[in-house]
Amino acid sequence: MKRSVLTRYRVMAYVTAVLLLALTVGVIGKRLLHLDGFDGFVTGVGIAHGWLYIVYLIFAFDLGSKAKMPLGRLAWVLLAGTIPTAAFFVERKVTREVEPLVIKDPEPQTASA
């Protein structure tokens, strides 16, 4: 498996997790604390998280299929983007498990003069 498959999954896991945390804070501010000005924030972050979660699903499924993950583990990885902070922990665990499957890039050869 190429390193880029793991890297793009990791990037999207972090992006999705950060946006979900921001969305959670925004919803708490809007609904529970009744703070003014959170309407636009929640709408914008919610839309961004929704679209980027779809990208996360694609990259996570690609990683899971190439790493030959069992369906239960793949389902947990896919759902991690919907639970605040879960993607951070799942990403670390998946990275540790998948890292040995990454093909090492050959050392660049220097031309002898």
Side-chain angles (χ1 to χ4, degrees), residues 17-96:
V18 168
L19 285 175
L20 186 56
L21 280 176
L23 182 61
T24 302
V25 168
V27 168
I28 289 170
K30 178 181 175 182
R31 300 282 184 199
L32 296 178
L33 303 177
H34 304 290
L35 298 175
D36 294 334
F38 274 86
D39 291 333
F41 177 79
V42 169
T43 301
V45 172
I47 290 171
H49 172 71
W51 282 105
L52 291 173
Y53 178 67
I54 293 170
V55 175
Y56 167 80
L57 287 175
I58 293 167
F59 289 162
F61 184 79
D62 184 40
L63 176 75
S65 63
K66 289 180 179 168
K68 296 180 176 43
M69 284 184 188
L71 277 178
R73 179 170 292 138
L74 180 59
W76 175 238
V77 171
L78 295 175
L79 287 174
T82 63
I83 303 167
T85 71
F88 293 117
F89 300 106
V90 171
E91 180 275 329
R92 279 308 312 147
K93 184 173 173 114
V94 167
T95 299
R96 273 188 252 119

